[in-house]
Amino acid sequence: GMKGVGSSANKERQKRLGRRETLEKGGGNVGKVKKSGSRKEDLPTIPIGSGCVAQVYKARLRTSHGLHPAGTSVAVKVQHPHILEKVCLDFYIMNKFASILEYIPYLNLDYLSMKDSVDQFRDIMLPQLDLRVEAHNLKRFRRDFEGETQIAFPEPLVDLTSREVLVEKFVEGEPMLNFVKKEDEFHRRKDREELASIGLKTVMKMIFLNDFIHADLHPGNMIVDRNKSVRGQPLRIHMIDCGLTVELGERDHVNMVKILGSLIKRDGYAAGKLMVDTAKKCQATELDVELFCRGIDKIVEDDEDNNFLESVGDYITDICYLACKHKVKLEAAFINAALACEIMEGLAASLYPEMRVQQVALPLVLKAEMMHGLKGLPAAKLWMGS
């Protein structure tokens, strides 16, 4: 992604840091942070992380703030200068490119809802360039997972946060990447399996029960520590960088639960019916839709040793091929669901390849169906992993 390390960009970031007058430099030589326009020697100048949207610095509170005493370590996220204009231009180009591809008749690409997906991603992404939105997301996640002992989210300091600067309590711990990359005396197989289980259950709850999903889930956005306030000091995952989230809304969430419920229960025909976007103009005839649904059913039947949540990448490719072949327009909710599942699959597979995703997913899918008042499919269809 764009690093924004040019001198003018750094000067602009330093101005933004200078506005947070209650912060002081993290590290040995502590000095007073000056207002914007004053000398900047005392500001933290080396970021501890850099991404497409912002850079992150470690600092300390200069004075007590709420329940946090002076000297509390905080993470300060500072947005890259002019990022909004750059992202808007990127989306304009992506939208034009998707429109051109969908316009080419013989490619049949309009059935993949490419332009819809770009528009949807734009609507998700643009508001999150305001860092106050990320602070709100953190508060929502902390509320959704209140009382959990093995999953946590950083606490935002909302009244120190602005559109361009986010301040949150600093999370101490070890990067999840260390557990993904190696298995040794400090990263035991048992620990890796436990982390995979915690991560999977958390994301399942986000998708099926809360309808509020962390949409940037990769090991680099997870910090691991031990929860010393609980007996036995169990492993705990802190999910950071919560700027990108997905919330489907009632209608799409119901449809997503129905689709995933049908696939998990191995009823490919019902899932196929739900994937077809009937609201949009569709060139598919009734026969096309019927053949598409039969095709989905065959995919599910042919893969009896597996299930949707554990081989979602293969399914997506085959489903998109069928959609183009039979001129069926896919529901955007299905694409969202499939991508969320792919994230889960990747993390779980890297930590604990033998884990049965199905056994974790099925109870939550059934609970989500009950939550929405949906009638479950026949129990005989259920596939229970051994």
Side-chain angles (χ1 to χ4, degrees):
M2 181 194 71
K3 299 295 181 191
V5 292
S7 59
S8 61
N10 279 329
K11 282 177 186 172
E12 178 65 27
R13 282 191 209 96
Q14 291 304 307
K15 280 185 186 177
R16 292 174 184 180
L17 273 170
R19 293 182 196 125
R20 314 261 54 84
E21 293 178 59
T22 55
L23 296 173
E24 68 183 6
K25 181 179 176 181
N29 181 24
V30 175
K32 185 178 177 182
V33 170
K34 308 292 184 184
K35 291 184 181 180
S36 180
S38 303
R39 290 168 63 85
K40 300 297 186 297
E41 298 94 332
D42 298 323
L43 293 170
T45 55
I46 301 172
I48 56 173
S50 182
C52 298
V53 172
Q55 285 188 339
V56 181
Y57 299 84
K58 185 177 181 182
R60 292 203 304 267
L61 290 179
R62 180 173 156 226
T63 59
S64 62
H65 185 82
L67 298 174
H68 306 297
T72 300
S73 292
V74 290
V76 185
K77 187 171 184 176
V78 186
Q79 204 174 83
H80 293 310
H82 313 300
I83 187 71
L84 182 61
E85 296 94 318
K86 288 166 186 168
V87 170
C88 285
L89 179 60
D90 286 345
F91 275 118
Y92 175 78
I93 294 166
M94 285 166 67
N95 199 297
K96 286 291 180 190
F97 189 61
S99 299
I100 290 165
L101 284 176
E102 288 190 350
Y103 188 72
I104 301 171
Y106 59 85
L107 289 181
N108 278 1
L109 291 177
D110 52 327
Y111 308 115
L112 300 185
S113 302
M114 286 172 64
K115 191 169 179 298
D116 289 350
S117 296
V118 171
D119 290 345
Q120 199 168 35
F121 185 53
R122 179 202 62 208
D123 293 343
I124 291 166
M125 185 73 190
L126 288 182
Q128 326 228 5
L129 294 176
D130 182 340
L131 292 180
R132 289 170 298 190
V133 171
E134 182 168 352
H136 169 77
N137 293 345
L138 286 167
K139 287 175 71 178
R140 167 88 183 261
F141 281 128
R142 285 171 65 83
R143 188 191 73 202
D144 285 349
F145 290 91
E146 192 176 10
E148 297 277 354
T149 58
Q150 292 190 281
I151 190 74
F153 297 84
E155 181 184 351
L157 280 65
V158 177
D159 49 351
L160 291 181
T161 294
S162 67
R163 188 175 68 83
E164 298 166 334
V165 179
L166 167 68
V167 182
E168 62 188 33
K169 197 170 176 187
F170 191 81
V171 174
E172 303 282 357
E174 187 174 1
M176 175 72 87
L177 277 168
N178 292 0
F179 289 86
V180 172
K181 286 178 180 174
K182 60 192 173 186
E183 186 178 310
D184 55 31
E185 59 182 310
F186 302 109
H187 310 88
R188 299 170 302 166
R189 177 183 290 253
K190 185 185 170 193
D191 295 338
R192 288 159 56 97
E193 291 177 359
E194 187 178 356
L195 289 171
S197 179
I198 297 165
L200 186 63
K201 284 176 183 171
T202 299
V203 178
M204 289 288 192
K205 282 181 183 176
M206 288 178 183
I207 293 171
F208 294 121
L209 302 185
N210 302 341
D211 185 24
F212 194 65
I213 307 160
H214 191 310
D216 195 14
L217 280 170
H218 58 80
N221 280 345
M222 298 182 196
I223 304 292
V224 179
D225 73 352
R226 289 200 172 270
N227 189 344
K228 293 177 182 175
S229 63
V230 176
R231 189 177 177 183
Q233 299 189 5
L235 287 168
R236 175 173 56 182
I237 298 174
H238 297 263
M239 291 193 172
I240 59 173
D241 199 1
C242 298
L244 202 59
T245 58
V246 173
E247 188 172 8
L248 298 179
E250 179 74 13
R251 179 191 165 275
D252 280 350
H253 190 251
V254 168
N255 202 40
M256 185 193 75
V257 169
K258 284 180 180 176
I259 291 170
L260 291 182
S262 300
L263 287 166
I264 285 170
K265 295 168 185 179
R266 309 196 69 75
D267 189 340
Y269 190 88
K273 280 276 192 191
L274 291 163
M275 284 179 213
V276 179
D277 187 344
T278 52
K280 299 270 169 68
K281 188 180 177 184
C282 183
Q283 294 179 32
T285 62
E286 282 187 29
L287 179 61
D288 282 323
V289 173
E290 176 70 20
L291 291 172
F292 173 78
C293 294
R294 283 186 199 168
I296 302 296
D297 205 35
K298 189 169 190 312
I299 290 171
V300 173
E301 281 179 16
D302 288 350
D303 202 14
E304 282 192 27
D305 294 333
N306 222 318
N307 64 83
F308 180 73
L309 292 177
E310 280 159 26
S311 57
V312 71
D314 299 334
Y315 279 110
I316 292 172
T317 306
D318 293 342
I319 289 166
C320 289
Y321 168 74
L322 280 172
C324 292
K325 182 180 176 183
H326 296 299
K327 305 182 181 68
V328 166
K329 194 160 180 69
L330 294 177
E331 272 275 7
F334 163 70
I335 295 164
N336 271 327
L339 290 175
C341 289
E342 183 137 38
I343 291 164
M344 277 189 309
E345 177 201 344
L347 177 64
S350 61
L351 286 169
Y352 185 10
E354 298 83 23
M355 181 165 64
R356 286 307 213 181
V357 177
Q358 196 83 348
Q359 291 175 329
V360 178
L362 191 57
L364 286 166
V365 172
L366 295 173
K367 196 170 178 181
E369 287 181 338
M370 288 171 65
M371 182 176 78
H372 286 303
L374 304 176
K375 186 180 176 184
L377 293 163
K381 281 277 188 182
L382 297 188
W383 183 96
M384 295 297 286
S386 55

